[in-house]
Amino acid sequence: MSQPIANLEVAIKLGIKEDEYHLINQKLGREANFTELCIFSVMWSEHCSYKNSIKWLKTLPRDGAKMLVKAGEENAGVVDLGNGLGCVFKIESHNHPSAIEPYQGAATGVGGIHRDIFTMGARPIAALNSLRFGKLENEKTKHLLKGVVKELAIMAIALVCQR
């Protein structure tokens, strides 16, 4: 079975920038095949590596006297509130999966946040979801919005029922 064509045009369609495409080929010592380009596309995506947002995430405070668990040490950071109380904070970036399949993409994002809060021994009391969709008159945008909001509502109900 032959693989689909792999070239710069295909790489760009997969979300790989031109300089990244050349770096991949340089590191491999040859032209990447289609399967390899797909793997790099996923691993270097916003979903897996915070490709576009990492520069902004690095500007957030990650250390300090009130940090019981620093960002990146565990599943989530913990801030000392005093009197033996801590507050667990977690962020997640899952715009891309929601753009492909809104219902399960939202479940991945919100579910990942709550999973990491639970694994720290805490319970969520609020979820601040910053959602971006695009022009609401676009049918694709309407589909995405409906699927994401539906999943977020179901997860909110599930959390309330667990209390």
Side-chain angles (χ1 to χ4, degrees), residues 46 50-61 91:
E46 182 68 20
Y50 298 98
K51 183 176 183 174
N52 300 300
S53 59
I54 192 68
K55 65 182 175 188
W56 303 112
L57 294 173
K58 286 182 177 183
T59 67
L60 298 172
I91 63 170

Side-chain angles (χ1 to χ4, degrees), residues 79-139:
V79 176
D80 184 0
L81 298 178
N83 297 325
L85 296 174
C87 186
V88 178
F89 289 89
K90 175 65 181 183
I91 63 170
E92 195 80 46
S93 172
H94 284 277
N95 292 333
H96 183 65
S98 294
I100 295 170
E101 210 306 306
Y103 187 78
Q104 292 167 358
T108 302
V110 178
I113 290 171
H114 289 133
R115 174 204 59 226
D116 291 347
I117 289 171
F118 284 122
T119 61
M120 297 300 291
R123 296 293 175 261
I125 59 169
L128 306 172
N129 298 307
S130 176
L131 305 174
R132 307 286 189 272
F133 290 96
K135 295 182 179 184
L136 292 178
E137 58 272 10
N138 182 307
E139 289 304 313

